[in-house]
DNA sequence: TAGTGGTCTAGACCACTCA
DNA sequence: GAGTGGTCTAGACCACTAG
């Protein structure tokens, strides 16, 4: 005959564990507080460490936890609202949000070259910048500016700020923007203080002037700590 | 003395594995093609199955692979561009994108009630809808409409379409929108044909009319198959 | 040097799909 | 019923942080 029914719907352990921990986080822990270490937690819940880690992985993905090797696991603060703009007011140098790190002049990766129309292999200024907010680096950017978009810039040894300034001469009429999930490449991970492969939100923007694409930026935001905000009118409401 | 230097930078196995698989995906596999099963792949690369799975997990997160229990792992098509709008042209019923599933009249969750200003516990029409694109359900929505926003709707037994239609009477003047990473709740997962906990992009929109919040929607998009697109002018460029 | 999270192994069993 | 991906275990060692 067997058990009549309703044996519980076979919810995976790590899923149930996540709920329990999530509730505990709400009621028993303050932001910044350190959790017991993984071995202890696993023992306390009577599961293998790998199973516990599955639950912690999810909570970290949702921005509830923050883990640092050699240190421990802490309760994360609410995500930071990061204005990504939406209206005409946004261009690559809006409000000095981005701090230049480096520049180079090279051919763009295939996917970018296609957007820029530089498939022929024309050289592109590749500006690397970072964006901080709340005392933390929240995003790493690669800004691709074809040489033809900034005729005022010449020579090989160019400052990042110079390229950006020259780019500002354009009437940035419109822009297309996409947001998707990605995982941090080694280089970005280093700048975001995360491990390679960490989940990130990738914002790709194509800046156009009179129908022509004058620049493309690929912005990599920490997905654990950031909430991208858009708004319709002038008043940017961050959170 | 030890080995001089350059012992390879201690790149984790699964990370290297991911690169190798990623390259193979580009050069040797067509979209939709089935990969060897996990046990075979692990053996072929000389790693434990768990390690191989770490690499596959990442590739799936990036939308390169699609895995289905009982079936196998296939090469995923490029992500679908899903217009999420940006300009004034967007309101909850734009272009009949959303198909109603159900409605109920209840108190909103705390976080939503705060945005709506219904902290007192006023009843809110909760409309559940789904959005399809390319023959696939790409998003599940919860649309919260306070009873006061749709005075034309009365009684307990209300059709979802009715609520949405009445809501359309408002001048949706502006809207704030946020995008963040989340994991699919059981209910959403079912509708998106994913497992609970699958990574999703959560788009939260607050619709306002003359400064007052008249509705809030929480849209849960599949992160593996979707690329959210925004644009500045009338012409929505999807991809 | 002690303690933390990150990686890795070699197994086992389960839930699901499909012929 | 055979084959797939999903869950889980009980270990081990490594990389990193901090006292």
């Amino acid at each position: 005959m067997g058990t009549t029914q309703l044996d519980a719907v076979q919810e995976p352990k790590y899923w149930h564990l996540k709920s329990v921990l999530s509730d505990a986080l709400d009621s028993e822990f303050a932001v910044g507080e350190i959790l017991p270490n993984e071995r202890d937690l696993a023992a306390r819940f009577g599961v293998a460490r790998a199973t516990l880690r599955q639950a912690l992985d999810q909570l970290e993905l949702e921005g509830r936890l923050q883990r640092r090797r050699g240190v421990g696991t802490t309760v994360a603060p609410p995500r930071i609202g990061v204005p990504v703009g939406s209206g005409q007011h946004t261009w690559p140098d809006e409000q000095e949000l981005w701090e230049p790190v480096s520049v180079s002049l090279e051919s763009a990766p295939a996917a970018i070259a296609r957007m820029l129309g530089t498939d022929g292999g024309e050289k592109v200024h590749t500006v690397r910048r970072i964006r901080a907010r709340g005392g933390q680096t929240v995003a790493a950017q690669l800004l691709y500016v074809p040489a033809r978009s900034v005729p005022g810039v010449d020579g090989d040894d160019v400052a990042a700020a110079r390229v950006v300034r020259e780019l500002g001469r354009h009437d940035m009429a419109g822009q297309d923007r996409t947001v998707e999930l990605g995982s941090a490449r080694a280089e970005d991970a280093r700048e975001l203080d995360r491990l390679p492969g960490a989940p990130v939100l990738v914002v790709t923007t194509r800046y156009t002037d009179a129908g022509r694409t004058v620049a493309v930026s690929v912005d990599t935001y920490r997905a654990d700590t950031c909430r991208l905000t858009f708004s319709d009118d002038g008043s940017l409401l961050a959170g």
Side-chain angles (χ1 to χ4, degrees), chain A residues 98 101 126-131 137-144 182-203 218-222:
Chain A
W98 297 94
V101 174
T126 303
V127 182
R128 191 159 187 85
R129 302 195 293 178
I130 58 176
R131 178 174 182 177
T137 299
V138 293
Q141 176 183 71
L142 282 175
L143 176 63
Y144 298 96
S183 50
R185 292 170 306 120
E187 208 169 340
D188 298 321
R190 205 175 322 120
E191 235 136 23
L192 298 176
D193 189 28
R194 302 251 58 200
L195 292 178
V200 291
L201 295 171
V202 181
V203 181
V218 179
D219 308 348
T220 300
Y221 288 85
R222 286 182 62 150

Side-chain angles (χ1 to χ4, degrees), chain A residues 117-177:
Chain A
T118 61
D119 302 65
E122 298 96 315
K123 290 288 200 264
V124 171
H125 295 284
T126 303
V127 182
R128 191 159 187 85
R129 302 195 293 178
I130 58 176
R131 178 174 182 177
R133 193 169 173 87
Q136 175 190 239
T137 299
V138 293
Q141 176 183 71
L142 282 175
L143 176 63
Y144 298 96
V145 184
R148 61 164 151 75
S149 291
V150 285
V153 177
D154 50 2
D156 259 359
D157 192 24
V158 175
R162 180 78 198 285
V163 174
V164 175
R165 196 175 341 116
E166 286 295 317
L167 181 61
R169 295 178 178 281
H170 282 275
D171 278 346
M172 298 291 185
Q175 58 205 26
D176 295 316
R177 183 176 275 125

Side-chain angles (χ1 to χ4, degrees), chain A residues 60-66 76-82 133 136-139 192 194 199 201 221-228:
Chain A
E60 193 182 22
L61 191 82
E62 293 173 23
R64 307 285 312 271
L65 293 180
Q66 203 162 335
R79 284 184 171 140
I80 309 172
V82 183
R133 193 169 173 87
Q136 175 190 239
T137 299
V138 293
L192 298 176
R194 302 251 58 200
L201 295 171
Y221 288 85
R222 286 182 62 150
D224 55 342
T225 58
C226 293
R227 206 177 69 244
L228 307 184

